[in-house]
């Protein structure tokens, strides 16, 4: 048990080091929902943002101010209403909207200053009036017209953290109230950000609140850890009547990824430490939207062998797998596949082919932290397709503890005598492995 704990701990440290190197000098845009800013965890989140900045990431912050603006307008007896999620007010409300937006930005800046991080609130946003749509006058609501991208980049390169209030100005200096979510998305697109975070209260995408299509994998906690663009579009299609706020964040996340942002993340601001956990680990703690280069199957390379042996070790110790070493993996290198996530090997399996049109699936191991993501069945199907392409008749497995799993995949019990002679000679009655077989003959 202690050895297993050490293995888990060392792997976690390796993940942190790998990601720290991967994202050094990366640009991240963070949308802070104002409910998170009002929460008891706000200062903890700001400490995490300061640490992220200190380890070399370039940070941009876009704080939401809807709640604060509504409060100030209410106290001042100025009416407002919402149309399609957009606040509509008369021009008399604009000075108060600006005051509330900059007040929230100052709270964020002051929190960073407590960690010796220099931030600056700038007017980098050119805006235009939203105008009249379908007969509705949107008043002080504005749209993003242009961002001063070069000035933002210079600010980041000089080591500052830019903070964007939800205000933009037209060429004559007239202010407009703009959407913080749209602003965060557009900044991330313009900067070609590596990551866009939406940190919001109760930002959870799981089975309890949404319909999850069967094509999308979820964790043991019923959360969706990641979706590619195609999966996101399917998810949005079947959840049209779900939480509008979360759907708008997911839509913005997807649009960002379609326009050059590497990855977008929906994070639950009610959890402490979600930001560093999402950045410095494979699964993270929220839902990631991505377009490419996150994870997938590929053939094993010689440089993967140390990671594969480390992955197999706990399964060997529990006698689920037979012992392997560097030599045996090198000799059978062409038989193995791995599942890689962000440069980390999280699963492996092999297909050993015998002369009599039989093949054995062996060495199947999936990191337990990723066991509910459907990686195992994907590997088995990949190997079955490979066996079919070689016109084999059947595939077998030898197992002591995973028979139920293989039966679920369609394998049926068979006898030891059915094995190829080469494999039968290696079978040990002391280990007592059982044979399960799947016919693949066309």
């Amino acid at each position: 048990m202690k050895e297993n704990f050490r293995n888990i701990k060392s792997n976690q440290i390796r993940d942190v080091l790998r990601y720290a190197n991967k994202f050094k000098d990366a640009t991240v845009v963070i949308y802070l929902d104002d409910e998170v800013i009002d929460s008891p965890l706000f200062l903890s989140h700001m400490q995490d943002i300061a640490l992220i900045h200190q380890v070399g990431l370039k940070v941009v912050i876009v704080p939401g101010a809807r709640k604060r603006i509504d409060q100030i307008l209410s106290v001042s007896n100025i009416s407002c209403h919402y149309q399609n999620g957009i606040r509509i007010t008369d021009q008399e409300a604009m000075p108060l909207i600006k005051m509330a937006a900059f007040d929230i930005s100052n709270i964020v800046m002051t929190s960073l200053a407590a960690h010796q991080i220099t931030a600056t609130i700038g007017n980098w946003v050119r805006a235009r009036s939203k105008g009249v749509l379908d007969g509705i006058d949107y008043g002080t609501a504005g749209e993003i017209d242009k961002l001063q991208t070069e000035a933002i980049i210079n600010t980041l390169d000089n080591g500052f953290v830019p903070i964007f209030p939800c205000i933009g100005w037209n060429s004559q200096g007239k202010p407009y109230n703009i959407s913080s979510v749209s602003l965060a998305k557009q900044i991330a697109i313009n900067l070609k950000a590596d990551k866009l975070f939406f940190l919001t209260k109760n930002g959870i995408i799981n089975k309890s609140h949404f319909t999850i299509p069967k094509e999308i994998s979820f964790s043991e906690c019923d959360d969706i850890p990641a979706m590619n663009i195609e999966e996101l579009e399917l998810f949005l299609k079947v959840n049209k009547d779900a939480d509008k706020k979360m759907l708008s964040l997911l839509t913005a996340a997807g649009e960002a990824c379609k326009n050059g942002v590497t990855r977008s993340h929906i994070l639950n601001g009610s959890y402490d430490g979600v930001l560093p956990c999402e950045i410095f680990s494979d699964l993270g703690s929220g839902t990631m939207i991505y377009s490419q280069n996150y994870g997938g199957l590929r053939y094993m390379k010689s440089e993967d062998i140390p990671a594969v042996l480390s992955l197999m070790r706990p399964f060997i110790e529990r006698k689920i797998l037979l012992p392997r070493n560097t030599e045996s993996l090198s000799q059978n290198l062409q038989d193995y596949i791995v599942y890689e996530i962000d440069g980390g090997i999280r699963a492996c399996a092999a297909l050993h082919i015998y002369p009599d049109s039989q093949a054995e699936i062996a060495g199947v191991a999936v990191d337990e932290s990723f066991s509910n993501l459907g990686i195992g069945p994907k590997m088995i199907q990949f190997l079955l397709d490979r066996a079919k392409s070689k016109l084999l008749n059947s595939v077998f497995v030898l197992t002591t503890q995973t028979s139920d799993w293989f039966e679920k995949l369609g394998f049926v019990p068979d006898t030891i005598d059915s094995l190829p002679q080469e494999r039968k000679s290696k079978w040990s009655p002391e280990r007592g492995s059982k044979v399960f077989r799947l016919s693949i003959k066309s």
Side-chain angles (χ1 to χ4, degrees), residues 103-144:
D103 182 34
I104 290 290
S105 294
N106 274 303
I107 290 172
V108 172
M109 184 170 66
T110 301
S111 298
L112 289 173
H115 299 282
Q116 289 75 53
I117 303 296
T118 303
T120 180
I121 301 171
N123 58 344
W124 300 287
V125 184
R126 176 75 62 82
R128 64 180 183 274
S129 170
K130 194 169 184 67
V132 179
L133 296 174
D134 299 324
I136 299 171
D137 186 349
Y138 280 83
T140 58
E143 297 278 4
I144 300 167

Side-chain angles (χ1 to χ4, degrees), residues 270-378:
S270 300
Y271 295 158
D272 194 10
V274 286
L275 272 167
C277 186
E278 189 73 9
I279 294 174
F280 299 117
S281 68
D282 286 326
L283 275 183
S285 56
T287 296
M288 180 178 75
I289 309 302
Y290 66 99
S291 56
Q292 58 186 352
N293 299 328
Y294 172 59
L297 286 168
R298 62 171 176 80
Y299 289 102
M300 187 170 75
K301 304 173 185 176
S302 57
E303 55 263 35
D304 298 325
I305 290 177
V308 169
L309 288 173
S310 178
L311 174 68
M312 287 182 167
R313 188 174 299 117
F315 297 93
I316 293 171
E317 291 171 352
R318 288 153 55 191
K319 302 189 184 303
I320 295 173
L321 293 182
L322 288 169
R324 268 90 169 168
N325 56 35
T326 300
E327 183 180 1
S328 65
L329 291 184
S330 297
Q331 290 174 349
N332 296 284
L333 189 66
Q334 71 282 356
D335 293 356
Y336 279 86
I337 60 172
V338 297
Y339 197 96
E340 180 182 32
I341 296 179
D342 266 352
I345 304 302
R346 298 308 179 189
C348 64
L351 183 75
H352 304 309
I353 299 174
Y354 294 92
D356 55 353
S357 293
Q358 295 188 56
E360 177 187 10
I361 289 179
V364 180
V366 180
D367 187 323
E368 290 188 351
S369 299
F370 298 77
S371 60
N372 282 13
L373 298 186
I375 295 173
K378 287 178 183 176

Side-chain angles (χ1 to χ4, degrees), residues 25 27 40 75 96 164 179 187 206-207 251 266 273 346 370 376 383 396 404:
D25 295 324
T27 299
V75 168
L96 296 176
F164 284 74
S179 162
I187 293 168
N206 61 16
K207 289 177 68 176
T251 299
I266 311 295
R346 298 308 179 189
F370 298 77
L383 294 177
F396 66 88
D404 290 339

Side-chain angles (χ1 to χ4, degrees), residues 30-41:
I30 303 171
Y31 163 78
L32 286 175
D33 188 89
D34 56 352
E35 287 191 292
V36 172
I37 294 172
D38 284 342
S39 75
L41 286 176

